Amino acid sequence: MALPTEIHLTLPDWVPAFVANTPCEPTDEGRMAYVLELGKHQVARGTGGPFSAAVFDLDSNEVVAVGVNRVVPTHASIAHAEIMALTLAQQALGVHRLPDTCGLYSSTEPCAQCLGAVPWSGVGRLVCSACAADAEAIGFDEGAKPEDWPAQLEARGIRVVRHLLAERGAALLTSYGGARY
């Protein structure tokens, strides 16, 4: 076996059309509705787990990048929706640290891995829909996180909004029908 020398992570081929054809209202609720719609498309098409995220420029409301869960199709445990969105946003802007005018919107609270990536990413805002317990209820392991993780992010200057459109976020997870990894 040859030693791998590159990482190849991709979004599903339907994502560019979704981004081009799906409007987004310039509010927290509008941005979260956009992310949850992205997740609905992910589940309906069967292209990965029921998680979705997007990085927005909060000044312009521009979608900088989106992400959906790609763990199984890419054989990469790091390919969570938040990691995909953050990485693609950094690549799109040509930076390793996003401006704090960027916000990460996620269909579910971050797991332990994604929580660690948030402060290093540079975003100034994290907005979540479903809670970790909703993901765990369908079989996902969210990992160990400090109970006061929102306060820890806030102490680092990252504004945290939780449970936005939470019923819709939980319904997205439930529509997936259980963890398949």
Side-chain angles (χ1 to χ4, degrees):
M1 173 175 20
L3 181 67
T5 59
E6 65 180 36
I7 297 171
H8 188 71
L9 300 175
T10 59
L11 292 177
D13 59 3
W14 57 264
V15 170
F18 174 89
V19 172
N21 298 315
T22 307
C24 181
E25 294 294 320
T27 63
D28 276 349
E29 290 81 6
R31 293 179 193 113
M32 185 56 70
Y34 179 91
V35 166
L36 294 173
E37 188 65 22
L38 176 68
K40 281 176 57 177
H41 282 261
Q42 168 84 336
V43 170
R45 287 173 170 76
T47 51
F51 302 97
S52 52
V55 174
F56 291 90
D57 178 314
L58 300 176
D59 290 338
S60 68
N61 198 50
E62 177 185 359
V63 178
V64 179
V66 301
V68 291
N69 181 283
R70 299 293 288 161
V71 170
V72 172
T74 63
H75 309 290
S77 61
I78 64 165
H80 291 196
E82 298 93 333
I83 300 298
M84 297 292 289
L86 291 169
T87 301
L88 290 167
Q90 290 164 335
Q91 290 179 349
L93 297 178
V95 299
H96 68 278
R97 187 165 176 81
L98 296 168
D100 65 4
T101 56
C102 286
L104 174 63
Y105 288 69
S106 180
S107 62
T108 307
E109 291 177 344
C111 68
Q113 170 187 260
C114 296
L115 176 62
V118 169
W120 293 332
S121 72
V123 295
R125 188 172 177 83
L126 171 64
V127 182
C128 311
S129 183
C131 66
D134 295 324
E136 291 168 347
I138 65 164
F140 284 93
D141 180 358
E142 295 300 281
K145 299 187 306 188
E147 283 188 41
D148 66 341
W149 66 266
Q152 289 184 18
L153 290 180
E154 294 267 358
R156 295 180 76 134
I158 301 167
R159 175 99 200 294
V160 177
V161 176
R162 297 170 69 194
H163 313 300
L164 185 64
L165 305 180
E167 288 181 13
R168 287 174 59 185
L172 172 61
L173 293 170
T174 302
S175 74
Y176 183 69
R180 301 174 199 162
Y181 60 94

